[in-house]
Amino acid sequence: MTLSELKNIIAENGCVGAGGAGFPSAVKLAEGADTLVINAAECEPLLYSDLMVMKRHLDDVVCGAEYVIEATGIRNGHLCVKEHTGHRLGLEDGQKLSAHVSVKYLPNVYPMGDEIILIYQVLGRIVPPGQLPITVGVIVFNSETLYNVCRAVRDSAPVTQKWITVGGKVPQPFVALVPVGTTVRELMQKYGFFVPEDCVMIDGGPAMGPIIDPNTAVITKTTKGLLILPRMIPAIQSKLAKNRSVMTHASANCCQCSLCTDMCPRALIGYPLKPHKIVRNSLAMIEQNPEAFTEAAVCCGCGICELTACCQGISPRRVYQQVKGILAKNKLRYQHKGELKVDPNRDYRLLPSERFMQRIGVAPFDTGVPEFVQDGWVPSIIDLPLRQHIGAPAKALVKVGDAVSAGQLIAEADGAISANIHASVNGTVKEVSASKIVIAVQS
C-alpha cells in the first residue's frame, strides 16, 4: 500500500488522534520517518482505556502499526507501555509482536505520555521546541488510533465508537465501548452513576482534563475518560481557581525556590521553560510585551509545577495557559535557537506516578483495572459536534429529516486540517447547526 493510498483511507474514515487533542491522523503521515512510536503509556492516573484496547485487540493495534510502517517505509516500531501495563498484558520488554514492532517498557512516571518526553525516553532524540516529531524522524500514534487505522484499512470501518473509562467516585469503575456522540447524561442514566454535589466531572485525566457539565457534554472521538472527583482534592481545587486570582497570587507570593523549574519534565530535556521566572510577571506586563514570553508556547500543561513542585499554592501552569492565549491573539510563535542540553540530574527528578497520585488526591480512587462493559446498548439521542479534532470543523452533508445509517458519512472535512464525521447509529437527523448534528436513534 502506498502512502497516498493509506492517507486517503484514514482520512475517508475520519481517524483522528484518540489520545489527545484529535490531530487528523492522515496529516501526521509523512515520508522521512524511520521510527513509529506507539503511545500506550496511559499517562494520567485512573485511565484504563488504552489498556483495555490492547487487552482485547492487541493484534489490531499491531496491524494498524504495520500498515503505517509499510506505507511510510519506517524500519522500526515500538509499542511503548509502562512496566506494570506490560505485566498485565503478559508482554516482556523487547518482545517482538510482528516483523517491525517490539515492546518497549517505560518507567512508571508522570507525564510519560507527553510525546516529547516519550520520544526522548524511547529513542534519546529531542524534538526541537515548537516542532513536530517528524523533524527527528518519528511518527507518534496512540494505541487506540492504530486500532482505528487497522479497522479503516482492513474493514473499511469509520470511527463511530469510543473506548472510555468511567472512574473516580463511582460505585464501580468500568471501561465501555460506546457510540461517538453519546450524551453523558444518558450514559449516566444507563450505567447508574451520578455526580454528587461535592464532586465535579472531568473529561480525561485528573491533572490535565477540564471540568465539564455532565448535562451538556457528549462523547467525542477524543474522549478518554469521565472521572468524578471531589472538589476539595488538590487536582480539582487548582481547576476551580479564577484566572485573575491565580495571576495575582503567583506574582505576589513566589519565593523563587525554582523547584517548579527543577521538576519541569520538558525543562529537564533542555526546553527553555523557567516557570519560577514567569510567575513574577503580572498579566498586564505580559500583555504589554508578549514577545518576551514566547517560550510559554512549548509548555505541555502537565501540571507538575503546580500540583507537586510548588509549596506556595502557585500555578505556573495556569500562568502559562494565560500567556498562550495572549500569544495566539498576537499570532506569536516560539522560534528556537541554539542547542538543547539535557539536565544531568534528569533521571533523579522523574516523578513516580504513585507519588503523583497521592499529591493530587486521587490515590483512593485507584482500585485496579476496571471491568469492561459492552452490552450492545444504544442511546436514544446522538449529538455529534462538527469539530471533534484540531483544525476546521467538518461541513454537514445532511439536513433535518434525513434517514442515516451507522457508518454513513454525514459531515466532510473542510480544509487541509479537518476530519470526516460518520453517523454512529441508525436514525433520523433531528437537528443540523453550524456546530453539530443531532440524530434521533431508530427504535
Side-chain angles (χ1 to χ4, degrees):
M1 184 186 308
T2 67
L3 179 58
S4 177
E5 289 171 338
L6 179 60
K7 292 179 72 168
N8 287 338
I9 292 172
I10 289 176
E12 287 171 3
N13 288 283
C15 295
V16 302
F23 199 85
S25 301
V27 181
K28 274 192 173 184
L29 295 175
E31 295 178 340
D34 58 50
T35 305
L36 172 66
V37 170
I38 306 169
N39 188 348
E42 204 102 63
C43 183
E44 289 223 42
L46 308 184
L47 297 180
Y48 291 93
S49 304
D50 286 337
L51 171 63
M52 201 62 69
V53 171
M54 293 184 291
K55 187 175 182 180
R56 301 179 69 86
H57 299 285
L58 181 59
D59 289 347
D60 288 347
V61 174
V62 176
C63 165
E66 286 290 350
Y67 284 137
V68 171
I69 288 169
E70 174 192 351
T72 57
I74 283 173
R75 295 191 296 271
N76 296 297
H78 301 283
L79 177 69
C80 303
V81 296
K82 291 181 179 177
E83 186 172 356
H84 61 76
T85 299
H87 293 161
R88 284 166 170 161
L89 294 171
L91 302 176
E92 297 294 333
D93 189 28
Q95 179 179 339
K96 292 286 288 186
L97 300 177
S98 67
H100 303 94
V101 179
S102 58
V103 177
K104 178 66 176 179
Y105 272 8
L106 304 169
N108 188 26
V109 300
Y110 176 82
M112 192 49 64
D114 171 20
E115 68 177 13
I116 303 301
I117 302 302
L118 182 62
I119 291 169
Y120 176 76
Q121 187 69 36
V122 174
L123 302 172
R125 303 177 192 176
I126 303 176
V127 179
Q131 301 298 312
L132 297 174
I134 191 65
T135 61
V136 293
V138 181
I139 294 175
V140 181
F141 276 125
N142 173 259
S143 53
E144 184 182 352
T145 306
L146 289 174
Y147 163 81
N148 289 333
V149 167
C150 172
R151 297 183 71 249
V153 176
R154 186 189 62 201
D155 308 323
S156 300
V159 180
T160 59
Q161 295 184 308
K162 194 72 183 75
W163 299 76
I164 62 165
T165 302
V166 175
K169 195 174 181 180
V170 295
Q172 178 64 51
F174 63 93
V175 174
L177 182 61
V178 301
V180 174
T182 299
T183 66
V184 172
R185 175 187 287 182
E186 197 163 358
L187 190 73
M188 293 166 63
Q189 292 172 348
K190 164 63 180 176
Y191 291 109
F193 63 99
F194 65 99
V195 183
E197 289 187 5
D198 64 341
C199 294
V200 297
M201 178 176 282
I202 299 295
D203 179 352
M208 300 178 69
I211 296 173
I212 58 172
D213 182 352
N215 294 310
T216 59
V218 299
I219 304 300
T220 71
K221 294 180 183 181
T222 62
T223 306
K224 270 298 184 187
L226 300 174
L227 302 181
I228 298 173
L229 297 170
R231 291 174 177 269
M232 296 306 296
I233 65 173
I236 304 303
Q237 282 288 293
S238 67
K239 300 177 191 295
L240 294 173
K242 302 296 184 183
N243 286 333
R244 180 63 65 176
S245 62
V246 167
M247 295 295 295
T248 301
H249 178 71
S251 60
N253 291 279
C254 179
C255 65
Q256 291 297 293
C257 69
S258 78
L259 188 57
C260 54
T261 297
D262 292 341
M263 293 187 66
C264 173
R266 289 194 173 187
L268 287 171
I269 62 168
Y271 271 43
L273 293 165
K274 303 289 183 184
H276 74 285
K277 291 185 177 180
I278 200 168
V279 297
R280 292 183 293 189
N281 299 275
S282 68
L283 189 59
M285 293 170 62
I286 295 169
E287 288 175 334
Q288 289 170 9
N289 187 26
E291 293 85 356
F293 302 95
T294 55
E295 72 277 3
V298 300
C299 166
C300 71
C302 69
I304 284 180
C305 56
E306 163 194 330
L307 296 168
T308 301
C310 187
C311 62
Q312 300 285 358
I314 293 170
S315 177
R317 170 173 63 172
R318 293 282 293 276
V319 176
Y320 274 135
Q321 288 173 347
Q322 291 290 298
V323 178
K324 286 180 181 180
I326 295 171
L327 296 177
K329 183 174 65 176
N330 289 276
K331 298 181 179 180
L332 294 171
R333 297 184 61 186
Y334 175 74
Q335 300 293 327
H336 178 69
K337 298 178 181 179
E339 296 183 6
L340 296 170
K341 295 183 179 180
V342 177
D343 191 307
N345 294 309
R346 175 185 179 267
D347 290 348
Y348 306 105
R349 292 178 180 169
L350 299 179
L351 179 61
S353 296
E354 292 86 351
R355 179 184 170 198
F356 184 61
M357 285 194 293
Q358 292 284 350
R359 290 296 296 266
I360 68 176
V362 302
F365 306 106
D366 183 35
T367 56
V369 179
E371 296 181 356
F372 176 68
V373 176
Q374 186 179 21
D375 52 15
W377 171 72
V378 177
S380 63
I381 289 290
I382 290 293
D383 190 331
L384 289 164
L386 294 176
R387 191 174 186 273
Q388 301 183 39
H389 48 267
I390 282 180
K395 182 171 62 176
L397 299 175
V398 294
K399 62 183 184 300
V400 173
D402 285 353
V404 297
S405 57
Q408 177 183 334
L409 179 66
I410 60 173
E412 64 180 354
D414 189 18
I417 302 181
S418 187
N420 288 345
I421 295 174
H422 302 76
S424 54
V425 295
N426 300 325
T428 303
V429 177
K430 181 181 178 181
E431 177 185 343
V432 178
S433 69
S435 61
K436 66 181 181 178
I437 297 172
V438 178
I439 300 170
V441 178
Q442 179 179 311
S443 57

